[in-house]
Amino acid sequence: MDIHEHQAKAILAEFGVPVPKGFVAFSPEQAAHAFRQLGGNNCVVKAQIHSGGRGAAGGVKLCKTEAEVRSFAATLLGKTLVTKQTGAGGKLVERLWVEEATDIAQEIYLGFVLDRKSERIMIVASGHGGMEIEDLAENDPDSLVRMVIDPAAGLVDYQARELAFRLGLKGSQVAQFATTLRACYRAYRDLDAMMVEINPLAITGAGDLVALDAKMSFDTNALYRRPQVEALRDPGQEDPRESSAHDNGLAYVGLEGDIGCIINGAGLAMATMDMIKLAGGEPANFLDIGGGASPARVVTAFRTVLTDPNVSVILVNIFAGINRCDWIAKGVVQAYEEVGLSLPVVVRLSGTNVEEGREIIRTSGLPLISADTLAEAARAAVRARPTPVAAE
Ligand code: GDP
Ligand code: MN
C-alpha cells in the first residue's frame, strides 16, 4: 500500500528525519493560506499523488507570490497528472503539499528496499540524486552504493559512517546522515514498510541535510497490525477495481486484457493466466477467490471482475479441495440472476463434489460453457470473446 508524500514526511519526521515545514491543501484558498502561514516567502507547491516523477510532469513548482500559489493550485487540483510511473491513465490530483522552499546545493538519493537475494533490508544511495536517478540506475548502476542490514545487529554506526563517506559527505553532515539513516531504518522496520525513499535528500546551501521528497509503501499483509498505517490509505489513488476487491477481502490485481478470471488458489490463478496467454488471449485480472467460497462469495467475485469495463468473457476455474464445486456452481448461477450477466462464462470445475457442480451447470438452462481441463477452458474463453483480436 502506498501513501502520500506529506504522510511519509510526517511519519519520517516523527522518527527523526529533518523535513521542511509545510501544509496540506485541498483548494487554491487553502494553498494560499498555507503560503501565508509559511511567512509569505518562497514555497514549493507539490501535487500529492501516489507516484514519483511529478517534477518532470509539471506537478512541482517553486512559487514566489500568493497569486502564483493560487493559480498553480487552481491548475493542478482536479487535473490528472501523467508521469513516467503512473501509466497512461495518470493519477487525479486531489490534494497539494505546500512547503517552505529549500536552497539546494546537492541532491542525494536514499532508498530502503527489501533485497530478496540477501533476505535483508538494503540501503541504496547515490550522491547524484534528484530527478535523473532512474537514468543513473540504468546507465551507471555501479555508481549506486548498496549496503545490507543484518537484522540481528540492526543498522550499526560504522555502516552509517561508511555510507556517508562513500557519498562524499563531510563534517557535521556525517552525523546528520547517520541520524536520517537510523530514522528511516526504524520507520521501515517498526511499521512493516516495503520501501522508504527520500529523493532528494538535499544538502542545503548552509550544508545541512533535509528530506525534500519522501515515499513509503507498506506490506498489505501486515496492515492488520498497523491500523495507524491503514488509516492513511487513499482509495482515490488506487485502481478502483482493486479497491472494491480489497473491501470485499478478495485477492485481486487488475491487468490489461479482456478475459476476467475467477480462480481459487494463487498458483492456479497464475497457471490459468499463462494458459490464457498460450491460447492467444490476455487476462483482465488475477483473482484468487480463496478456499471455502460460498455462493455469495462467488457472486461478489463476479461483481468485482465486472467492475472492469474491458472484460468481455469470464473464466471460472476451480480446483476444489477445501472448496466445493457445487457451491461454486450455485454461485455462478446466482451471479447470472443477481448481476444480470450478459457475457459468456466458461466454467471449469474439478475436485470435491465435481459431479454435483457440473450437474448444476448442465441443468441451469444458462448459456454457460463447460470445460474439463485447464487448457480447454483457456481456449474456450479465447474463442468466446465477442471481438477476436487479430493474430500478431
Ligand atoms: P518527484 O519528481 O515526484 O520525485 O518530486 P520531488 O518532490 O522529488 O520534486 C522534484 C524536484 O523538485 C526535486 O528533485 C527538486 O529538485 C525540486 N524541489 C523539490 N522541493 C524543492 C525545494 O524546496 N526547493 C527547490 N529549489 N527545489 C525543490
Ligand atoms: Mn522525488
Side-chain angles (χ1 to χ4, degrees), residues 248-267:
N248 290 308
L250 290 169
Y252 175 100
V253 180
L255 301 166
E256 310 298 321
D258 66 335
I259 301 180
C261 299
I262 296 174
I263 300 159
N264 76 311

Side-chain angles (χ1 to χ4, degrees), residues 3 36 43 49 51 138 162 164 267 313 325 338 379:
I3 60 171
R36 291 194 299 272
C43 74
I49 53 171
S51 167
E138 198 163 308
E162 185 189 331
V313 50
C325 290
E338 284 182 27
R379 284 196 296 269

Side-chain angles (χ1 to χ4, degrees), residues 320-357:
I322 303 168
N323 266 317
R324 287 174 41 180
C325 290
D326 52 328
W327 285 350
I328 302 286
K330 272 184 201 150
V332 172
V333 172
Q334 207 172 312
Y336 246 95
E337 288 158 6
E338 284 182 27
V339 186
L341 212 60
S342 57
L343 300 178
V345 177
V346 178
V347 184
R348 184 253 176 170
L349 299 173
S350 182
T352 310
N353 290 0
V354 63
E355 283 316 321
E356 289 91 327

Side-chain angles (χ1 to χ4, degrees), residues 5 44 46 51-56 60 99-102 104 107 130-131 199-200 212-213:
E5 171 195 1
V44 181
K46 312 179 73 173
S51 167
R54 295 162 301 163
V60 178
E99 74 178 14
E100 58 192 6
T102 304
I104 306 175
E107 298 188 325
M131 298 201 284
N199 184 37
L212 293 193
D213 189 11

Side-chain angles (χ1 to χ4, degrees), residues 304-321:
T304 301
V305 167
L306 289 168
T307 53
D308 181 348
N310 292 331
V311 169
S312 65
V313 50
I314 294 178
L315 170 53
V316 180
N317 184 19
I318 303 295
F319 187 93

